[in-house]
Amino acid sequence: MVDGLVFKSEDLASATESASLTRGLGRSYGDSSLPAGAETPVADATAADRLLDFDPDSGVLRAEAGASLFDLNRIFLHRGWFVPVSPGTQFVTLGGMAASDVHGKNHHVDGCFGEHVRGLKIRVADGRIVECSDSSELELFRATIGGMGLTGHILEVEFTMRRIASPWIWGESERIKNLDLMVSGLKEAARDWPMTVGWVDCLARGDHLGRGILMKGRWARPEEAPTKPPSRKGRIRVPFEFPAVALCKPSMKAFNLAYYWKHFQHVRRGILHPDAFFYPLDALDDWNLIYGRRGFTQYQCVLPHADDNGPARRFLELFVSAGGMGFLCVIKDCGAEGKGVLSFPRSGMSIAMDFPIHPSKTQIIVDRLNELVIAEGGRIYLTKDTFTRAEHFRAMEPRLEKFTAVRRKWDPELRIRSAQSVRLLGDRA
Amino acid sequence: MKAVLFGATKGMGRALARLMAARGDRLCLLGRSAEDLERSARDLEIRGAQGPVATAFCDLLQPESFAPALEKAERELEGFDAVVVTAGVMAPQEEMENDPQLAARLLAADFTNTVLFCEESRRRLLEKTGGTLCVFSSVAGERGRKPVILYGAAKAGLSQYLEGLDHKFRSRGLRTVCVKPGFVKTGMTAGLKPPPFAGEPEAVARRVLRAIDRGRPVVYAPAAWRGVMFVIRNLPRLVMRRIEF
């Protein structure tokens, strides 16, 4: 919990007039949507959620930045349309998707969300409202994609929706014995499948290190899919914060073991509900309460490919030896770098790890992981980050200079800032 | 259903209009800003409203705008069978105590002019075969309370008026629905600390739409506020004088 001033209004253009940052649904794990200080107001975009224009011939949709992916799915999925790129939760806004330049299970073929954004309407620091795209104010456009909201307040987003053959997923999942097989399995699956991701049991050790489940999917063809549209899934609400013991090592081990062996056949194939495929965690409302009061953090980085599967192995080994207790670990091969100046993905393996926060250990673990990421030539995902030190971030981000230059051009006094930019970029609080 | 919505570009009205659009109703939006109305109309069309969503200028502070607005709605929709009023004015009690003009504006908007708008709608609905008049009053009208003295007084008058309408005209086909929202998290209440039982606009809208379809004369939303207000109505004066609620 942090104290702060929030302006929420259906009229985002006026709510952003005196705000120092705009936030969406607040699902970033880190501090990127939190105010720089208790006196710096933040605009809440979620009430500005109107869809402004949709062309059913081209799929181009323009909407206010607070429109949520949940809303879009509810409206468009059964009509045969889906967002070109979806992150792992649907409780995100379009503005947030652009600011984080989110990626999904199809990154190896379709890139980030930003690749499909045609234009943005932005309120920049001096109060002007600017329309930017690849053909107008290109620099601002590209710095804003993946720019964590630091270049201006995103008011409207225009992007291209994708036609889908049916609203159902045809999926195949495979139990994988260890990390080597997981990494090569992902690389191989990328050739035939538009969507892939791996779940790794990060409490397994030794020969089993990196064992998990490899999931592959594509939109089902009409003749394979059930004739009825997917039902709206009921969500279960987590009723209270779990006590800290719920996350002791044995219970986490039991969870991971159960998840692994629940998949008792070697390979499973079949039709999947799109929510189950894209948003498994959204089935639990407020699921983060499971992590208790102290909370948890996620660490996500991308490591460039090497000839062997060494980088991912070194990462997991370091995490385990540093005393990290991973609750959930997701691995995904990324395609080429996108057009966002600070966009996270690059060609390589992305690893995301959820672990409970420990008052003294977490900072040390993150520091050591960051040192490894720097040595491997990788980088971290700002949307997930809470603990990285400024000097580590600078060392892994040669692109920062370009980003800062664009930001300073549009906002010389650096009025637009967040708790994260105070921590990583040295902005004033 | 063919519905005219006054104040549906924001908050609970927006949520209700979206539910009506999703099930394919025909809609006409009334409001002050042409640009804002157009943006909301496009939103509702994309969400499934039948045909183009019509718009007309209407200002709660200008009663002379009511008749032309409803006339235009009638023309564009070729008649309507429901009118929903969510428009209203809200101001902090303390500010109004020191600003009689602000107080006058709120009292005129939330009582006199809302009633005049309802009268205009009532006449037009009764000229045809009747229909539904759904108006957003408030739980603030249930009991005189320190933080909402003037606003509550206007809403009390409005609720009383709607009850009278219901008694007199229901037999002739006019179904009056008086909505009494408790605290709902909208732009209007942004910045206030939500009390227990605070509701989301969409859940409120679902409940109100059910009440419209069934013609229920009074609906509390969220439902828990019926119980909360039962207790508050029955608190002794001695207690009401001491609490700040």
Side-chain angles (χ1 to χ4, degrees):
Chain A
M1 289 279 185
V2 292
D3 287 328
L5 263 173
V6 179
F7 298 144
K8 179 176 174 178
S9 165
E10 286 92 349
D11 184 357
L12 188 57
S14 50
T16 51
E17 264 168 20
S18 49
S20 64
L21 186 72
T22 296
R23 78 198 307 264
L25 280 159
R27 289 305 195 277
S28 303
Y29 287 64
D31 48 6
S32 52
S33 72
L34 300 179
E39 305 299 315
T40 47
V42 173
D44 175 337
T46 56
D49 61 350
R50 286 182 290 199
L51 311 180
L52 302 172
D53 194 23
F54 178 64
D55 177 0
D57 293 323
S58 62
V60 173
L61 176 73
R62 191 175 183 89
E64 292 175 341
S68 74
L69 181 52
F70 177 75
D71 229 16
L72 292 186
N73 286 342
R74 203 167 46 171
I75 296 165
F76 286 104
L77 202 58
H78 69 97
R79 294 188 204 167
W81 294 97
F82 191 65
V83 284
V85 169
S86 172
T89 170
Q90 50 186 336
F91 299 111
V92 290
T93 61
L94 287 176
M97 286 167 71
S100 284
D101 198 16
V102 294
H103 57 277
K105 296 177 173 61
N106 58 349
H107 189 271
H108 60 287
V109 280
D110 293 315
C112 290
F113 181 66
E115 303 309 300
H116 308 272
V117 173
R118 292 162 45 97
L120 296 169
K121 189 190 253 189
I122 302 176
R123 178 186 284 286
V124 289
D126 64 10
R128 270 180 305 152
I129 291 178
V130 179
E131 187 74 45
C132 66
S133 66
D134 270 337
S135 51
S136 136
E137 301 299 358
L138 172 99
E139 266 188 350
L140 177 66
F141 181 57
R142 297 201 165 184
T144 303
I145 288 173
M148 307 311 289
L150 297 173
T151 53
H153 306 277
I154 302 177
L155 303 178
E156 288 175 16
V157 180
E158 184 177 303
F159 68 101
T160 313
M161 296 277 283
R162 165 123 351 144
R163 261 267 172 232
I164 50 176
S166 84
W168 294 88
I169 295 289
W170 174 266
E172 188 179 298
S173 56
E174 196 182 330
R175 196 149 42 78
I176 303 284
K177 285 207 187 81
N178 62 44
L179 190 67
D180 274 344
L181 293 172
M182 177 64 84
V183 171
S184 44
L186 274 167
K187 286 180 184 165
E188 202 171 304
R191 275 180 241 137
D192 303 323
W193 294 85
M195 294 182 268
T196 61
V197 70
W199 166 83
V200 170
D201 173 359
C202 28
L203 295 172
R205 301 278 187 272
D207 290 346
H208 297 303
L209 179 79
R211 73 174 180 190
I213 294 166
L214 173 59
M215 286 167 262
K216 301 168 267 191
R218 59 171 168 78
W219 293 101
R221 287 188 288 270
E223 67 272 16
E224 299 165 335
T227 45
K228 60 176 176 39
S231 61
R232 244 216 272 166
K233 288 214 156 183
R235 299 205 299 273
I236 304 163
R237 185 166 282 275
V238 176
F240 51 81
E241 281 180 354
F242 278 40
V245 324
L247 279 186
C248 64
K249 201 160 180 182
S251 68
M252 281 169 50
K253 216 163 182 152
F255 170 84
N256 276 277
L257 209 65
Y259 197 95
Y260 183 70
W261 285 111
K262 203 181 80 166
H263 200 280
F264 52 90
Q265 308 100 317
H266 180 60
V267 179
R268 277 194 212 168
R269 295 184 180 86
I271 290 291
L272 293 169
H273 193 292
D275 286 359
F277 183 70
F278 287 109
Y279 317 114
L281 282 174
D282 285 353
L284 285 179
D285 258 4
D286 302 327
W287 60 272
N288 46 320
L289 294 183
I290 292 175
Y291 288 94
R293 174 140 302 188
R294 203 187 283 159
F296 70 104
T297 187
Q298 194 181 73
Y299 183 88
Q300 184 170 359
C301 62
V302 57
L303 304 171
H305 289 305
D307 290 339
D308 59 350
N309 296 330
R313 164 171 302 280
R314 287 192 284 277
F315 179 89
L316 274 191
E317 280 169 356
L318 175 65
F319 180 74
V320 169
S321 72
M325 274 204 304
F327 183 58
L328 272 178
C329 176
V330 172
I331 181 166
K332 162 80 194 140
D333 58 314
C334 289
E337 189 169 283
K339 62 184 170 193
V341 174
L342 268 193
S343 174
F344 160 67
R346 52 155 294 156
S347 169
M349 277 291 160
S350 149
I351 307 174
M353 180 82 81
D354 274 45
F355 53 105
I357 292 178
H358 184 279
S360 56
K361 274 203 270 179
T362 304
Q363 183 66 54
I364 298 167
I365 295 173
V366 171
D367 286 348
R368 292 190 59 189
L369 293 177
N370 279 335
E371 283 156 14
L372 174 100
V373 168
I374 294 165
E376 297 280 352
R379 59 172 81 124
I380 56 154
Y381 190 13
L382 288 177
T383 302
K384 310 289 178 76
D385 181 57
T386 324
F387 289 97
T388 293
R389 297 177 191 277
E391 61 270 25
H392 282 157
F393 184 63
R394 275 197 303 272
M396 64 179 78
E397 272 302 355
R399 304 174 301 171
L400 189 58
E401 206 175 314
K402 184 173 175 200
F403 178 76
T404 307
V406 180
R407 193 174 165 223
R408 281 198 179 274
K409 180 178 155 194
W410 289 90
D411 185 6
E413 294 158 41
L414 300 181
R415 276 188 216 160
I416 298 174
R417 58 203 196 277
S418 65
Q420 188 170 61
S421 77
V422 171
R423 174 169 58 87
L424 289 179
L425 309 181
D427 294 350
R428 68 182 191 280
Chain B
M1 185 180 268
K2 289 196 252 181
V4 182
L5 301 121
F6 186 12
T9 57
K10 293 190 165 66
M12 290 181 275
R14 177 188 285 189
L16 183 58
R18 283 178 175 176
L19 290 184
M20 296 172 111
R23 66 179 196 183
D25 287 347
R26 286 197 65 184
L27 306 173
C28 177
L29 305 180
L30 310 186
R32 270 176 308 179
S33 153
E35 195 208 332
D36 203 36
L37 287 170
E38 278 312 312
R39 287 168 77 95
S40 281
R42 294 297 87 72
D43 179 59
L44 296 167
E45 284 164 5
I46 297 170
R47 284 166 193 268
Q50 200 193 99
V53 171
T55 62
F57 172 81
C58 193
D59 183 352
L60 197 52
L61 293 169
Q62 298 177 42
E64 62 281 7
S65 68
F66 299 166
L70 286 164
E71 208 159 287
K72 185 174 177 209
E74 222 158 31
R75 220 168 37 238
E76 301 260 353
L77 298 179
E78 297 159 312
F80 51 77
D81 43 30
V83 177
V84 180
V85 185
T86 49
V89 171
M90 173 66 141
Q93 173 65 22
E94 253 82 88
E95 249 173 74
M96 286 191 285
E97 282 171 11
N98 302 316
D99 184 350
Q101 271 179 334
L102 181 62
R105 199 155 65 230
L106 179 132
L107 292 171
D110 289 346
F111 179 69
T112 313
N113 295 354
T114 303
V115 169
L116 291 175
F117 181 83
C118 291
E119 284 293 286
E120 190 66 44
S121 308
R122 170 186 65 81
R123 272 193 291 276
R124 285 164 197 270
L125 286 166
L126 284 171
E127 268 170 30
K128 305 279 162 38
T129 50
T132 303
L133 176 60
C134 171
V135 185
F136 278 57
S137 182
S138 169
V139 295
E142 302 268 285
R143 182 100 201 243
R145 290 191 287 119
K146 289 177 189 172
V148 284
I149 300 173
L150 290 160
Y151 179 75
K155 291 296 192 184
L158 179 61
S159 298
Q160 199 86 330
Y161 160 77
L162 293 168
E163 184 180 347
L165 272 195
D166 186 57
H167 295 326
K168 179 162 182 187
F169 293 107
R170 185 160 285 248
S171 59
R172 289 203 243 156
L174 182 75
R175 310 200 296 178
T176 308
V177 179
C178 173
V179 183
K180 295 182 177 177
F183 190 100
V184 180
K185 295 176 200 160
T186 64
M188 189 178 96
T189 57
L192 304 175
K193 191 174 156 13
F197 309 117
E200 295 292 339
E202 191 173 330
V204 168
R206 275 199 298 274
R207 202 170 147 76
V208 171
L209 189 57
R210 217 161 36 237
I212 290 175
D213 289 342
R214 294 178 186 169
R216 282 175 54 190
V218 176
V219 54
Y220 288 83
W225 284 84
R226 176 185 283 278
V228 172
M229 294 322 292
F230 177 82
V231 172
I232 290 186
R233 276 197 309 275
N234 289 291
L235 284 177
R237 270 176 185 262
L238 207 69
V239 177
M240 289 302 284
R241 282 195 196 125
R242 285 177 188 203
I243 59 177
E244 292 304 311
F245 182 71

